[in-house]
Amino acid sequence: MNYSIWFLRISVLWFLFGIGFGEYASFTHVFDFTSVHVHMNLIGWVSMALMGVIYYLFPQAANSALGKVHFWLITVCLPIMMGALYLTIKGNQFVAKYLAFTGTGVALAVLLFAINVWMNVKAPQEVKKEEKEAA
């Protein structure tokens, strides 16, 4: 599975959702859910698109165990987090625990991404040097 391409594809879906949600707010004049709209666009669209580009440029990071766990963690947690945030704002406190749990999952995914970048994003000459040393 090419995680960089899937990050880009999913980010475009988040872009559509985020813009659509913003359009809904502007037509209905209901701006109570601005934080949902912002998280959809910032984490779902912008952050995931950048992650996809970084993983495309550095496939060793995308193919690492950290890259795979990062992808699945954010892909599963973010939509649940957005739904739970929406419902919590509407007053459904029962889902607040899901918001906390999945928000922590998204934060952990971002932490794994940061660790992955520090460990596996390297200049081409560094990668060649490591390959020579391993041989």
Side-chain angles (χ1 to χ4, degrees), residues 38-127:
V38 168
H39 280 82
M40 285 179 168
N41 283 308
L42 184 58
I43 299 173
W45 162 231
V46 176
S47 297
M48 288 182 78
L50 286 170
M51 292 166 184
V53 169
I54 290 167
Y55 282 165
Y56 183 81
L57 294 172
F58 301 94
Q60 66 274 17
N63 296 324
S64 70
L66 283 172
K68 294 172 185 175
V69 172
H70 162 231
F71 173 82
W72 286 109
L73 192 57
I74 200 165
T75 300
V76 170
C77 288
L78 187 58
I80 298 168
M81 179 183 148
M82 292 299 90
L85 179 58
Y86 178 85
L87 291 172
T88 300
I89 293 169
K90 281 192 67 99
N92 185 337
Q93 292 305 308
F94 175 76
V95 297
K97 60 185 167 197
Y98 297 106
L99 177 58
F101 181 73
T102 54
T104 301
V106 169
L108 180 58
V110 172
L111 177 63
L112 293 176
F113 175 69
I115 293 168
N116 195 13
V117 167
W118 279 99
M119 289 178 59
N120 293 307
V121 172
K122 299 174 183 169
Q125 61 269 22
E126 290 179 68
V127 174

